[in-house]
Short mmCIF file of all heavy atoms in Angstrom, two decimals:
data_model
loop_
_atom_site.label_atom_id
_atom_site.label_comp_id
_atom_site.label_asym_id
_atom_site.label_seq_id
_atom_site.Cartn_x
_atom_site.Cartn_y
_atom_site.Cartn_z
N ALA A 1 108.96 104.40 165.44
CA ALA A 1 107.97 104.26 166.48
C ALA A 1 106.62 104.94 166.04
O ALA A 1 105.53 104.34 166.27
CB ALA A 1 108.46 104.90 167.74
N ALA A 2 106.69 105.97 165.40
CA ALA A 2 105.49 106.67 165.00
C ALA A 2 104.70 105.86 163.96
O ALA A 2 103.47 105.83 164.03
CB ALA A 2 105.79 108.10 164.41
N GLU A 3 105.40 105.35 162.95
CA GLU A 3 104.68 104.60 161.91
C GLU A 3 104.19 103.32 162.55
O GLU A 3 103.08 102.87 162.17
CB GLU A 3 105.66 104.26 160.68
CG GLU A 3 104.92 103.67 159.53
CD GLU A 3 103.81 104.52 158.94
OE1 GLU A 3 103.88 105.82 159.07
OE2 GLU A 3 102.87 104.00 158.44
N ALA A 4 104.92 102.62 163.41
CA ALA A 4 104.34 101.48 164.07
C ALA A 4 103.18 101.82 164.83
O ALA A 4 102.16 101.06 164.79
CB ALA A 4 105.51 100.91 165.01
N ALA A 5 103.12 102.90 165.54
CA ALA A 5 102.02 103.29 166.28
C ALA A 5 100.82 103.49 165.48
O ALA A 5 99.67 103.27 165.80
CB ALA A 5 102.31 104.47 167.19
N ARG A 6 101.05 104.17 164.25
CA ARG A 6 99.88 104.37 163.31
C ARG A 6 99.23 103.07 162.95
O ARG A 6 98.04 103.09 162.57
CB ARG A 6 100.45 105.13 162.11
CG ARG A 6 99.38 105.72 161.23
CD ARG A 6 99.96 106.53 160.09
NE ARG A 6 100.45 105.60 158.98
CZ ARG A 6 99.69 105.03 158.05
NH1 ARG A 6 98.35 105.25 158.03
NH2 ARG A 6 100.22 104.26 157.14
N ALA A 7 100.07 101.99 162.88
CA ALA A 7 99.49 100.66 162.52
C ALA A 7 98.91 99.97 163.73
O ALA A 7 98.46 98.85 163.62
CB ALA A 7 100.59 99.83 161.79
N GLY A 8 99.10 100.45 164.92
CA GLY A 8 98.69 99.81 166.17
C GLY A 8 99.75 98.87 166.68
O GLY A 8 99.41 97.98 167.49
N ALA A 9 100.99 98.97 166.21
CA ALA A 9 102.06 98.06 166.64
C ALA A 9 103.13 98.77 167.47
O ALA A 9 102.99 99.97 167.75
CB ALA A 9 102.74 97.48 165.30
N THR A 10 104.11 98.00 167.91
CA THR A 10 105.11 98.53 168.82
C THR A 10 106.47 98.05 168.36
O THR A 10 106.58 97.00 167.84
CB THR A 10 104.89 97.98 170.27
OG1 THR A 10 103.63 98.34 170.72
CG2 THR A 10 105.92 98.52 171.23
N VAL A 11 107.56 98.87 168.46
CA VAL A 11 108.87 98.45 168.26
C VAL A 11 109.31 97.68 169.52
O VAL A 11 109.44 98.20 170.53
CB VAL A 11 109.86 99.63 167.98
CG1 VAL A 11 111.26 99.13 167.83
CG2 VAL A 11 109.41 100.47 166.73
N ALA A 12 109.54 96.39 169.33
CA ALA A 12 109.66 95.48 170.52
C ALA A 12 111.10 95.18 170.85
O ALA A 12 111.42 94.63 171.94
CB ALA A 12 108.94 94.16 170.34
N GLY A 13 112.08 95.51 169.94
CA GLY A 13 113.41 95.18 170.20
C GLY A 13 114.25 95.12 168.93
O GLY A 13 113.71 95.52 167.83
N GLY A 14 115.47 94.59 169.01
CA GLY A 14 116.37 94.44 167.88
C GLY A 14 117.81 94.54 168.19
O GLY A 14 118.20 94.07 169.26
N ASP A 15 118.65 95.13 167.32
CA ASP A 15 120.10 95.19 167.51
C ASP A 15 120.69 96.37 166.77
O ASP A 15 120.00 96.99 165.91
CB ASP A 15 120.71 93.91 167.02
CG ASP A 15 122.12 93.68 167.67
OD1 ASP A 15 122.41 94.45 168.59
OD2 ASP A 15 122.76 92.73 167.27
N THR A 16 121.95 96.76 167.20
CA THR A 16 122.56 97.85 166.53
C THR A 16 124.08 97.40 166.16
O THR A 16 124.59 96.59 166.86
CB THR A 16 122.61 99.16 167.37
OG1 THR A 16 123.24 98.82 168.64
CG2 THR A 16 121.22 99.69 167.50
N ALA A 17 124.67 98.08 165.21
CA ALA A 17 126.05 97.78 164.82
C ALA A 17 126.55 98.99 164.06
O ALA A 17 125.79 99.80 163.56
CB ALA A 17 126.12 96.49 164.04
N SER A 18 127.86 99.04 164.03
CA SER A 18 128.50 100.12 163.19
C SER A 18 128.88 99.57 161.76
O SER A 18 129.31 98.39 161.68
CB SER A 18 129.87 100.49 163.88
OG SER A 18 130.59 101.45 163.09
N PHE A 19 128.59 100.42 160.80
CA PHE A 19 128.88 100.04 159.43
C PHE A 19 129.14 101.28 158.65
O PHE A 19 128.85 102.34 159.17
CB PHE A 19 127.66 99.27 158.85
CG PHE A 19 127.89 98.63 157.50
CD1 PHE A 19 128.90 97.71 157.33
CD2 PHE A 19 127.04 98.97 156.46
CE1 PHE A 19 129.12 97.11 156.02
CE2 PHE A 19 127.20 98.33 155.22
CZ PHE A 19 128.25 97.43 155.02
N ASP A 20 129.64 101.19 157.36
CA ASP A 20 130.02 102.37 156.69
C ASP A 20 128.80 103.06 155.90
O ASP A 20 128.97 104.01 155.17
CB ASP A 20 131.24 102.15 155.70
CG ASP A 20 130.89 100.94 154.69
OD1 ASP A 20 129.72 100.47 154.71
OD2 ASP A 20 131.80 100.61 153.97
N ALA A 21 127.63 102.42 155.96
CA ALA A 21 126.48 102.96 155.38
C ALA A 21 125.27 102.62 156.35
O ALA A 21 125.36 101.75 157.18
CB ALA A 21 126.22 102.50 153.98
N VAL A 22 124.14 103.25 156.07
CA VAL A 22 123.00 102.93 156.85
C VAL A 22 122.22 101.66 156.25
O VAL A 22 121.93 101.71 155.07
CB VAL A 22 121.97 104.10 156.92
CG1 VAL A 22 120.74 103.75 157.74
CG2 VAL A 22 122.71 105.32 157.57
N LEU A 23 122.04 100.69 157.10
CA LEU A 23 121.36 99.46 156.71
C LEU A 23 120.29 99.15 157.83
O LEU A 23 120.60 99.10 158.98
CB LEU A 23 122.32 98.32 156.56
CG LEU A 23 121.75 96.95 156.45
CD1 LEU A 23 120.86 96.83 155.20
CD2 LEU A 23 122.81 95.84 156.51
N LEU A 24 119.06 99.02 157.39
CA LEU A 24 118.01 98.67 158.37
C LEU A 24 117.39 97.37 157.90
O LEU A 24 117.00 97.16 156.71
CB LEU A 24 116.89 99.72 158.36
CG LEU A 24 117.12 101.00 159.20
CD1 LEU A 24 116.29 102.13 158.69
CD2 LEU A 24 116.80 100.71 160.70
N ALA A 25 117.22 96.44 158.87
CA ALA A 25 116.47 95.18 158.66
C ALA A 25 115.33 95.17 159.65
O ALA A 25 115.58 95.20 160.83
CB ALA A 25 117.36 93.93 158.81
N VAL A 26 114.12 95.13 159.14
CA VAL A 26 112.94 95.23 159.95
C VAL A 26 112.13 94.00 159.85
O VAL A 26 111.75 93.60 158.69
CB VAL A 26 112.13 96.43 159.62
CG1 VAL A 26 110.96 96.58 160.52
CG2 VAL A 26 112.95 97.73 159.75
N THR A 27 111.82 93.32 160.93
CA THR A 27 110.93 92.19 160.96
C THR A 27 109.60 92.66 161.49
O THR A 27 109.54 93.24 162.58
CB THR A 27 111.49 91.10 161.79
OG1 THR A 27 112.76 90.59 161.26
CG2 THR A 27 110.52 89.93 161.98
N GLY A 28 108.56 92.43 160.74
CA GLY A 28 107.18 92.70 161.19
C GLY A 28 106.45 91.47 161.64
O GLY A 28 106.60 90.40 161.00
N LEU A 29 105.70 91.52 162.74
CA LEU A 29 104.88 90.48 163.23
C LEU A 29 103.42 90.90 163.31
O LEU A 29 103.09 92.10 163.48
CB LEU A 29 105.33 90.14 164.64
CG LEU A 29 106.84 89.85 164.77
CD1 LEU A 29 107.19 89.55 166.24
CD2 LEU A 29 107.18 88.51 163.92
N GLY A 30 102.53 89.90 163.12
CA GLY A 30 101.14 90.28 163.03
C GLY A 30 100.20 89.18 163.61
O GLY A 30 100.64 87.98 163.75
N ASP A 31 98.98 89.51 163.86
CA ASP A 31 97.95 88.62 164.44
C ASP A 31 96.77 88.47 163.48
O ASP A 31 96.18 89.47 163.03
CB ASP A 31 97.55 89.28 165.75
CG ASP A 31 96.40 88.45 166.41
OD1 ASP A 31 96.20 87.27 166.08
OD2 ASP A 31 95.82 88.97 167.42
N LEU A 32 96.47 87.23 163.13
CA LEU A 32 95.37 87.01 162.23
C LEU A 32 94.03 87.04 162.91
O LEU A 32 92.95 87.04 162.25
CB LEU A 32 95.59 85.59 161.56
CG LEU A 32 96.69 85.55 160.50
CD1 LEU A 32 97.05 84.13 160.21
CD2 LEU A 32 96.25 86.20 159.26
#
């Protein structure tokens, strides 16, 4: 959230699951 805010963006949603290691998939959206 802090890094998104530094860019002027917001964490808008996503999903969570259990796994045996940490895996993050991040989709970024932007305005031209």
Side-chain angles (χ1 to χ4, degrees):
E3 189 60 29
R6 195 178 73 82
T10 302
V11 179
D15 200 7
T16 57
S18 177
F19 190 57
D20 56 5
V22 177
L23 169 64
L24 278 158
V26 180
T27 296
L29 305 175
D31 179 10
L32 288 164

